[in-house]
Amino acid sequence: MSNEKLSDKGYVLSNADEGERRRLEAIEAAYDPRTTARLTRLGVAPGARVLLLGAGGGSVARWAAEEAGPTGQVVATDVDPRFLEPLAEKYPQLDVVRNDAVNEELPAGPYDVAHARLLLGHLPQREDVLRKMVDVLVPGGAVLVEDFDWGSYGPALPNEAAEKAIGAVSGFLRAVGFDTAFGRRLPTVMRSIGLRDVDAEGIVLSLRGATFPLEPMYRQTFDRLLPTLIEQGHMTAGEAEALHARFDDPEHDMLTQTLMSVWGHRPSSENDH
């Protein structure tokens, strides 16, 4: 999920970027099994009404449309829905909506389940967007937000190029509004806005260089940011070259950020807290 307007407010990737489709496919391969299992437990089933915010490449939208079936409704949003639109032609129960969650209201519900993955951490207005998600739920409806916590991120062995790159990228992203600790803060944030039954789990992946999904997940992001990082003096061209060598090295192991999956329910009544 991305576009120029949100890029100015923290989201620095775009569905129009060369290689972005492959990066999204890598994220889907890495994280969809955990995402879909949790959404099933939260109520995505035949007849369910589901909102998917920043649905990106569309794998979760496809899965939700099949799970909800012809009696359900799935609304998948993105500011650039180019990867979602072909799915709407296949699934009558899937509506694709071009939507800027920061500056616009969300598609009207109500929904039984709302979901966003790797979106809110990029947005300085993240808590406002989360409240919008809760507001379009039915009483008792569930929200699932999945975002990174960067505490686990780094090479398995000391590596100057990788550590320099991670420090430069995380510093740059924080400067444009990204919250590298949003994943760990999410349970507190959800409880603070009145959600009940809040719980969480996290997953850390071990990845190798020259392999899928590390190469597209991380090379695409670094390559998108490298010109700016070099221009602003955060990295040199030589350091960037050393980083690319690590991506190409099958003996380079690293741990990903922790993907925190955090869920809660809208109260069923004013007294249900």
Side-chain angles (χ1 to χ4, degrees):
M1 181 282 179
S2 54
N3 88 337
E4 292 180 358
K5 181 178 284 188
L6 292 188
S7 295
D8 294 338
K9 296 176 170 61
Y11 207 105
V12 296
L13 300 174
S14 169
N15 287 348
D17 291 342
E18 182 179 356
E20 180 64 6
R21 187 68 187 90
R22 190 162 182 261
R23 187 187 75 90
L24 292 173
E25 289 171 351
I27 291 172
E28 292 166 354
Y31 297 121
D32 274 9
R34 185 67 60 94
T35 294
T36 56
R38 176 54 56 188
L39 287 172
T40 296
R41 290 193 286 271
L42 291 174
V44 177
R49 297 161 295 178
V50 184
L51 174 65
L52 303 174
L53 208 62
S59 62
V60 175
R62 180 188 303 109
W63 170 86
E66 293 175 352
E67 292 296 307
T71 62
Q73 180 191 24
V74 178
V75 177
T77 79
D78 205 288
V79 290
D80 182 353
R82 68 182 66 197
F83 302 131
L84 300 170
E85 289 167 342
L87 296 175
E89 300 175 5
K90 181 177 180 180
Y91 298 100
Q93 65 271 36
L94 174 61
D95 295 322
V96 173
V97 179
R98 185 182 298 271
N99 180 260
D100 178 344
V102 170
N103 298 295
E104 300 172 357
E105 296 302 315
L106 301 185
Y111 303 98
D112 303 300
V113 181
H115 172 251
R117 183 173 69 191
L118 299 179
L119 170 66
L120 300 192
H122 288 269
L123 308 177
Q125 307 87 346
R126 57 189 64 88
E127 294 184 21
D128 293 336
V129 174
L130 178 58
R131 288 186 177 91
K132 290 182 182 182
M133 294 174 69
V134 174
D135 287 344
V136 295
L137 290 173
V138 298
V143 62
L144 172 65
V145 175
E146 299 179 293
D147 258 291
F148 279 146
D149 179 272
W150 283 47
S152 58
Y153 188 29
L157 300 175
N159 182 282
E160 184 176 353
E163 291 165 356
K164 178 69 178 287
I166 290 169
V169 170
S170 62
F172 173 79
L173 291 176
R174 284 193 295 268
V176 297
F178 184 81
D179 185 350
T180 56
F182 188 54
R184 76 179 68 180
R185 294 198 306 108
L186 256 171
T188 302
V189 171
M190 284 195 177
R191 289 194 299 269
S192 73
I193 65 173
L195 291 173
R196 62 173 179 80
D197 301 328
V198 174
D199 208 344
E201 61 183 5
I203 179 173
V204 178
L205 304 179
S206 178
L207 303 179
R208 296 182 66 190
T211 64
F212 186 90
L214 183 147
E215 191 271 337
M217 281 177 68
Y218 290 96
R219 186 193 292 269
Q220 172 73 8
T221 302
F222 280 124
D223 284 355
R224 177 71 170 83
L225 300 179
L226 273 176
T228 301
L229 294 174
I230 292 174
E231 179 183 348
Q232 294 183 358
H234 299 293
M235 294 186 69
T236 67
E239 289 167 339
E241 185 177 345
L243 172 66
H244 283 126
R246 301 287 74 76
F247 284 132
D248 295 332
D249 181 2
E251 298 306 314
H252 175 64
D253 295 300
M254 63 178 290
L255 296 182
T256 65
Q257 303 98 325
T258 304
L259 182 71
M260 293 297 298
S261 298
V262 188
W263 59 91
H265 292 82
R266 181 176 181 172
S268 298
S269 67
E270 293 183 1
N271 296 322
D272 182 13
H273 290 282

